Amino acid sequence: MHALNKNRPLRRVVLASAATVSGMVMLLALKPHTAPTVITGSAAPAPSASASASPGASSGSSGSGSSSGSGSSSGSGKSGSGSTGTRTVTGDTVQTRWGPVQVKVTVKNGKITDVTAVQYPTENPRDQQINSYAIPQLRSEALAAQSASIDTVSGATYTSEGYQQSLQSALDSAGL
């Protein structure tokens, strides 16, 4: 090796420089994740508008988001079941490793008609990417199963478990 260094002293410098340049090119070519489109529950505005119309009729002091959740679990639950049979109940907020998960359930005549994720992890692009496919899948499984006994979505274990727990608490509050 000494013979190589004496005969061609710049060879190591050239190789080290080429390796550094190659590494920098590869690093700069790495593209960051683009922010995926997050599905916030496209069906959420329509049911919550119709669900908040019946609580608004029964209690005049119901506000927008937080009041309809609390009004739904107490006032709307009793008056809604007498007139239309439709109730909207918000489940407990479940703290998961990646953030809180909370579910809102609409029940009509003892049947789950809509499930909406009120809160779920959205702190970083990876959370948004995972939940953009996990939340709709959990929603459709809950509607199909008509219970909180739903499968965990692969890759979204913590969100799935929090979703199941919040869904179960909402169903317990609704008396199902």
Side-chain angles (χ1 to χ4, degrees), residues 27-112:
L27 182 64
L28 293 175
L30 180 69
K31 297 188 191 259
H33 290 289
T34 57
T37 56
V38 178
I39 299 174
T40 58
S42 58
S48 65
S50 65
S52 62
S54 60
S58 64
S59 61
S61 65
S62 95
S64 60
S66 61
S67 295
S68 68
S70 62
S72 298
S73 62
S74 60
S76 171
K78 295 175 184 170
S79 64
S81 63
S83 59
T84 62
T86 301
R87 294 182 282 175
T88 301
V89 182
T90 304
D92 294 336
T93 302
V94 178
Q95 292 297 327
T96 67
R97 179 177 179 181
W98 303 111
V101 177
Q102 187 177 27
V103 176
K104 180 173 64 171
V105 178
T106 302
V107 179
K108 183 174 184 179
N109 298 327
K111 184 178 177 187
I112 301 172

Side-chain angles (χ1 to χ4, degrees), residues 11-29:
R11 188 172 192 170
R12 270 192 160 165
V13 173
V14 171
L15 288 175
S17 298
T20 303
V21 169
S22 297
M24 290 299 291
V25 167
M26 289 174 44
L27 182 64
L28 293 175

Side-chain angles (χ1 to χ4, degrees), residues 3 6 8 22 43 53-54 58 60 65 83 95 114 129 131 133 152 167:
K6 289 180 182 178
R8 301 180 191 236
S22 297
S54 60
S58 64
S83 59
Q95 292 297 327
D114 189 32
Q129 181 183 18
N131 291 324
Y133 70 84
T152 300
L167 178 61

